[in-house]
Amino acid sequence: MAVHYSKIALALLAGILFAGFCALGTWQVKRLFWKLDLIERVEQRVHAPATDAPGPAAWASMTPQTDEYRHVRLSGTYLPIFNTLVQATTALGSGYWLVTPLRLADGSTVLVNRGFVPKRAGIAAGTPAGIVEVDGLLRISETGGGFLRENSPATQHWYSRDVAAIGASHMLTNVAPYFVDAKAKSETASDAPVGGLTVISFHNNHLVYALTWFALALMVAGISWWIVRQDHKRRARRAAANNTQESDHAGQD
Protein backbone atom coordinates (compact mmCIF):
# COMPACT_ATOMS: atom_id res chain seq x y z
CA MET A 1 0.00 0.00 0.00
CA ALA A 2 2.83 2.39 0.88
CA VAL A 3 4.45 1.68 -2.51
CA HIS A 4 1.16 2.46 -4.23
CA TYR A 5 0.88 5.85 -2.51
CA SER A 6 4.50 6.63 -3.35
CA LYS A 7 3.80 6.02 -7.02
CA ILE A 8 0.78 8.32 -6.90
CA ALA A 9 2.84 11.03 -5.19
CA LEU A 10 5.62 10.74 -7.77
CA ALA A 11 3.10 10.88 -10.62
CA LEU A 12 1.50 14.02 -9.15
CA LEU A 13 4.91 15.64 -8.67
CA ALA A 14 5.93 14.82 -12.25
CA GLY A 15 2.65 16.21 -13.56
CA ILE A 16 3.02 19.43 -11.57
CA LEU A 17 6.62 19.91 -12.71
CA PHE A 18 5.77 19.18 -16.34
CA ALA A 19 2.83 21.61 -16.33
CA GLY A 20 4.85 24.27 -14.50
CA PHE A 21 7.81 24.08 -16.89
CA CYS A 22 5.48 24.20 -19.91
CA ALA A 23 3.71 27.24 -18.45
CA LEU A 24 7.01 29.02 -17.88
CA GLY A 25 8.15 28.19 -21.42
CA THR A 26 4.88 29.50 -22.86
CA TRP A 27 5.22 32.69 -20.81
CA GLN A 28 8.73 33.24 -22.15
CA VAL A 29 7.45 32.78 -25.72
CA LYS A 30 4.88 35.51 -25.05
CA ARG A 31 7.63 37.70 -23.59
CA LEU A 32 9.72 37.06 -26.70
CA PHE A 33 7.02 38.35 -29.02
CA TRP A 34 6.38 41.29 -26.69
CA LYS A 35 10.10 42.17 -26.74
CA LEU A 36 10.32 41.86 -30.54
CA ASP A 37 7.31 44.15 -30.87
CA LEU A 38 8.90 46.64 -28.46
CA ILE A 39 12.16 46.64 -30.43
CA GLU A 40 10.25 47.25 -33.67
CA ARG A 41 8.31 50.14 -32.12
CA VAL A 42 11.52 51.67 -30.74
CA GLU A 43 13.18 51.44 -34.16
CA GLN A 44 10.18 53.26 -35.63
CA ARG A 45 10.43 56.00 -32.99
CA VAL A 46 14.16 56.49 -33.50
CA HIS A 47 13.85 56.92 -37.27
CA ALA A 48 10.58 58.85 -37.26
CA PRO A 49 10.59 62.63 -37.92
CA ALA A 50 11.24 64.68 -34.81
CA THR A 51 8.22 65.86 -32.82
CA ASP A 52 7.98 68.40 -30.02
CA ALA A 53 9.26 67.09 -26.70
CA PRO A 54 6.45 66.36 -24.20
CA GLY A 55 5.45 69.35 -22.10
CA PRO A 56 4.41 69.41 -18.43
CA ALA A 57 0.85 68.33 -19.22
CA ALA A 58 2.12 64.99 -20.57
CA TRP A 59 4.77 64.24 -17.99
CA ALA A 60 2.56 62.23 -15.62
CA SER A 61 1.47 59.78 -18.33
CA MET A 62 4.92 59.05 -19.75
CA THR A 63 6.29 55.49 -19.56
CA PRO A 64 9.40 53.77 -20.92
CA GLN A 65 7.21 51.51 -23.06
CA THR A 66 5.50 54.40 -24.85
CA ASP A 67 8.10 57.16 -24.82
CA GLU A 68 11.67 55.85 -24.52
CA TYR A 69 13.83 56.74 -27.56
CA ARG A 70 11.27 59.04 -29.14
CA HIS A 71 12.85 61.38 -31.69
CA VAL A 72 12.13 64.85 -30.29
CA ARG A 73 13.06 68.47 -30.78
CA LEU A 74 13.04 71.39 -28.36
CA SER A 75 14.42 74.89 -28.11
CA GLY A 76 15.52 77.02 -25.20
CA THR A 77 18.48 78.53 -23.43
CA TYR A 78 21.26 76.47 -21.89
CA LEU A 79 22.12 77.07 -18.23
CA PRO A 80 25.84 76.20 -18.23
CA ILE A 81 26.34 77.19 -14.59
CA PHE A 82 24.47 73.96 -13.81
CA ASN A 83 26.53 71.69 -16.07
CA THR A 84 26.73 68.17 -14.70
CA LEU A 85 29.24 65.47 -15.58
CA VAL A 86 28.06 61.88 -15.46
CA GLN A 87 30.68 59.17 -15.66
CA ALA A 88 30.48 57.26 -18.94
CA THR A 89 32.18 54.55 -20.92
CA THR A 90 31.64 54.88 -24.65
CA ALA A 91 33.06 53.79 -27.99
CA LEU A 92 35.38 56.80 -27.65
CA GLY A 93 36.72 55.61 -24.30
CA SER A 94 36.08 56.55 -20.69
CA GLY A 95 35.01 60.04 -19.74
CA TYR A 96 31.76 61.86 -19.02
CA TRP A 97 28.38 62.73 -20.38
CA LEU A 98 27.95 66.50 -20.32
CA VAL A 99 24.42 67.17 -19.08
CA THR A 100 23.19 70.78 -19.26
CA PRO A 101 19.75 72.10 -18.27
CA LEU A 102 17.81 73.73 -21.09
CA ARG A 103 15.31 76.40 -19.98
CA LEU A 104 12.28 76.37 -22.31
CA ALA A 105 9.98 79.27 -23.17
CA ASP A 106 7.22 77.95 -20.88
CA GLY A 107 9.57 78.04 -17.89
CA SER A 108 10.10 74.29 -17.69
CA THR A 109 13.54 72.72 -17.77
CA VAL A 110 14.78 69.71 -19.69
CA LEU A 111 18.16 68.15 -19.03
CA VAL A 112 20.08 67.65 -22.27
CA ASN A 113 22.87 65.13 -22.57
CA ARG A 114 24.95 67.15 -25.01
CA GLY A 115 27.39 64.29 -25.54
CA PHE A 116 30.68 62.78 -24.49
CA VAL A 117 33.66 64.72 -23.12
CA PRO A 118 36.94 63.03 -22.13
CA LYS A 119 37.82 65.31 -19.21
CA ARG A 120 36.27 67.58 -16.62
CA ALA A 121 38.11 70.84 -17.36
CA GLY A 122 36.74 73.64 -19.55
CA ILE A 123 33.28 72.18 -20.10
CA ALA A 124 31.35 75.44 -19.64
CA ALA A 125 33.40 77.61 -22.00
CA GLY A 126 31.97 76.17 -25.21
CA THR A 127 28.27 76.18 -24.29
CA PRO A 128 26.20 77.85 -27.05
CA ALA A 129 24.60 81.12 -25.93
CA GLY A 130 21.10 82.36 -26.69
CA ILE A 131 18.24 80.28 -28.05
CA VAL A 132 19.39 76.88 -29.29
CA GLU A 133 17.59 74.11 -31.13
CA VAL A 134 18.13 70.57 -29.84
CA ASP A 135 17.31 67.46 -31.81
CA GLY A 136 17.70 64.10 -30.12
CA LEU A 137 16.26 61.02 -28.45
CA LEU A 138 14.07 61.13 -25.37
CA ARG A 139 15.42 59.04 -22.50
CA ILE A 140 13.74 58.12 -19.24
CA SER A 141 15.54 59.10 -16.03
CA GLU A 142 18.16 56.66 -14.73
CA THR A 143 17.61 56.59 -11.00
CA GLY A 144 20.03 55.55 -8.27
CA GLY A 145 23.45 55.31 -9.83
CA GLY A 146 25.67 52.84 -11.64
CA PHE A 147 26.82 49.31 -10.92
CA LEU A 148 27.94 49.19 -7.26
CA ARG A 149 28.13 53.00 -7.24
CA GLU A 150 25.56 55.40 -5.87
CA ASN A 151 25.24 58.98 -7.07
CA SER A 152 26.61 61.54 -4.63
CA PRO A 153 24.82 64.88 -5.17
CA ALA A 154 26.75 66.49 -2.32
CA THR A 155 30.08 65.99 -4.08
CA GLN A 156 28.66 66.11 -7.63
CA HIS A 157 29.81 62.61 -8.46
CA TRP A 158 27.28 61.07 -10.81
CA TYR A 159 27.15 57.57 -12.25
CA SER A 160 23.71 57.73 -13.85
CA ARG A 161 21.57 60.42 -15.41
CA ASP A 162 19.12 60.71 -12.54
CA VAL A 163 17.01 63.66 -13.65
CA ALA A 164 15.24 64.36 -10.36
CA ALA A 165 18.42 64.10 -8.28
CA ILE A 166 20.47 66.26 -10.65
CA GLY A 167 17.73 68.88 -10.81
CA ALA A 168 17.35 68.93 -7.03
CA SER A 169 21.11 69.25 -6.50
CA HIS A 170 21.04 72.49 -8.52
CA MET A 171 17.71 73.62 -6.97
CA LEU A 172 16.04 73.64 -10.38
CA THR A 173 12.25 73.62 -10.54
CA ASN A 174 9.71 72.30 -13.03
CA VAL A 175 12.18 69.75 -14.39
CA ALA A 176 10.97 67.21 -16.95
CA PRO A 177 11.10 63.55 -15.83
CA TYR A 178 13.25 62.69 -18.83
CA PHE A 179 16.43 63.86 -20.51
CA VAL A 180 17.32 64.17 -24.18
CA ASP A 181 20.37 62.61 -25.82
CA ALA A 182 21.47 65.22 -28.37
CA LYS A 183 22.18 63.90 -31.84
CA ALA A 184 25.60 64.06 -33.45
CA LYS A 185 26.88 67.43 -34.72
CA SER A 186 24.30 69.43 -32.81
CA GLU A 187 27.27 71.54 -31.67
CA THR A 188 30.04 72.43 -34.10
CA ALA A 189 32.88 73.80 -31.91
CA SER A 190 36.11 71.84 -32.12
CA ASP A 191 36.00 71.02 -28.40
CA ALA A 192 32.24 70.45 -28.30
CA PRO A 193 30.87 67.30 -26.66
CA VAL A 194 30.32 64.41 -29.06
CA GLY A 195 26.65 63.61 -29.42
CA GLY A 196 24.87 60.78 -31.15
CA LEU A 197 26.42 58.03 -29.04
CA THR A 198 23.16 56.61 -27.72
CA VAL A 199 23.33 52.83 -27.53
CA ILE A 200 19.95 51.27 -28.20
CA SER A 201 19.93 47.73 -26.93
CA PHE A 202 17.48 45.39 -25.26
CA HIS A 203 18.23 42.19 -23.42
CA ASN A 204 16.37 39.54 -25.37
CA ASN A 205 17.14 36.11 -23.96
CA HIS A 206 13.52 34.99 -23.90
CA LEU A 207 14.01 32.36 -26.61
CA VAL A 208 16.85 30.77 -24.63
CA TYR A 209 14.74 30.83 -21.47
CA ALA A 210 11.76 29.31 -23.31
CA LEU A 211 13.86 26.49 -24.74
CA THR A 212 15.33 25.85 -21.29
CA TRP A 213 11.91 25.51 -19.65
CA PHE A 214 10.58 23.30 -22.44
CA ALA A 215 13.74 21.15 -22.23
CA LEU A 216 13.17 20.70 -18.50
CA ALA A 217 9.56 19.70 -19.20
CA LEU A 218 10.78 17.10 -21.70
CA MET A 219 13.32 15.83 -19.16
CA VAL A 220 10.56 15.35 -16.60
CA ALA A 221 8.44 13.54 -19.19
CA GLY A 222 11.41 11.38 -20.24
CA ILE A 223 12.37 10.44 -16.69
CA SER A 224 8.74 9.64 -15.88
CA TRP A 225 8.48 7.42 -18.96
CA TRP A 226 11.73 5.64 -18.01
CA ILE A 227 10.50 5.02 -14.45
CA VAL A 228 7.17 3.65 -15.72
CA ARG A 229 8.98 1.46 -18.25
CA GLN A 230 11.35 0.10 -15.62
CA ASP A 231 8.43 -0.59 -13.32
CA HIS A 232 6.65 -2.52 -16.08
CA LYS A 233 9.81 -4.54 -16.71
CA ARG A 234 10.13 -5.40 -13.02
CA ARG A 235 6.50 -6.48 -12.92
CA ALA A 236 6.97 -8.58 -16.05
CA ARG A 237 10.06 -10.29 -14.57
CA ARG A 238 8.25 -10.87 -11.28
CA ALA A 239 5.25 -12.33 -13.09
CA ALA A 240 7.50 -14.56 -15.20
CA ALA A 241 9.31 -15.77 -12.08
CA ASN A 242 6.01 -16.52 -10.36
CA ASN A 243 4.78 -18.45 -13.40
CA THR A 244 8.01 -20.46 -13.45
CA GLN A 245 7.68 -21.31 -9.80
CA GLU A 246 4.05 -22.37 -10.28
CA SER A 247 5.07 -24.55 -13.24
CA ASP A 248 7.81 -26.21 -11.16
CA HIS A 249 5.39 -26.92 -8.33
CA ALA A 250 2.86 -28.36 -10.77
CA GLY A 251 5.53 -30.62 -12.26
CA GLN A 252 6.55 -31.90 -8.85
CA ASP A 253 2.96 -32.71 -7.99
Side-chain angles (χ1 to χ4, degrees):
M1 185 64 69
V3 173
H4 177 70
Y5 285 133
S6 297
K7 290 180 179 179
I8 293 176
L10 287 173
L12 287 174
L13 177 61
I16 291 171
L17 289 174
F18 180 81
F21 289 146
C22 286
L24 288 169
T26 302
W27 176 66
Q28 287 295 338
V29 170
K30 292 181 179 178
R31 292 283 296 173
L32 171 64
F33 284 107
W34 171 82
K35 184 61 68 66
L36 292 175
D37 179 66
L38 174 62
I39 293 172
E40 182 180 357
R41 284 187 280 118
V42 166
E43 286 294 324
Q44 291 174 352
R45 293 176 204 163
V46 170
H47 297 101
T51 59
D52 291 337
W59 291 352
S61 61
M62 293 179 62
T63 66
Q65 290 75 23
T66 59
D67 296 282
E68 185 90 66
Y69 300 111
R70 282 174 54 185
H71 185 192
V72 298
R73 61 173 177 262
L74 62 166
S75 63
T77 305
Y78 278 130
L79 305 176
I81 60 172
F82 300 125
N83 277 339
T84 300
L85 291 172
V86 180
Q87 187 165 329
T89 301
T90 72
L92 301 178
S94 297
Y96 304 90
W97 297 122
L98 175 56
V99 178
T100 305
L102 186 73
R103 181 63 51 80
L104 277 58
D106 63 3
S108 63
T109 301
V110 175
L111 298 187
V112 176
N113 174 24
R114 293 163 55 197
F116 173 80
V117 293
K119 56 185 179 180
R120 301 182 69 95
I123 61 172
T127 303
I131 302 295
V132 296
E133 302 286 336
V134 176
D135 187 319
L137 299 179
L138 185 151
R139 303 292 309 280
I140 302 300
S141 179
E142 303 167 344
T143 59
F147 180 66
L148 299 179
R149 299 183 185 183
E150 292 186 1
N151 293 325
S152 176
T155 60
Q156 287 296 297
H157 283 85
W158 301 94
Y159 304 98
S160 73
R161 290 159 292 189
D162 188 331
V163 169
I166 292 173
S169 73
H170 297 306
M171 293 183 288
L172 298 171
T173 58
N174 204 21
V175 179
Y178 59 86
F179 63 95
V180 173
D181 276 345
K183 295 184 70 175
K185 298 182 179 179
S186 58
E187 297 182 35
T188 58
S190 59
D191 59 348
V194 180
L197 297 178
T198 304
V199 176
I200 302 173
S201 64
F202 295 90
H203 295 292
N204 188 13
N205 297 319
H206 298 297
L207 179 59
V208 174
Y209 296 152
L211 292 175
T212 300
W213 291 124
F214 286 134
L216 289 172
L218 288 175
M219 288 176 61
V220 170
I223 292 172
S224 300
W225 175 83
W226 182 82
I227 292 174
V228 170
R229 186 166 177 266
Q230 292 299 113
D231 185 59
H232 284 168
K233 287 183 177 180
R234 283 194 297 269
R235 289 185 179 185
R237 287 195 296 267
R238 190 180 301 118
N242 291 335
N243 290 336
T244 300
Q245 290 177 358
E246 289 176 0
S247 297
D248 291 342
H249 287 311
Q252 293 173 359
D253 293 338

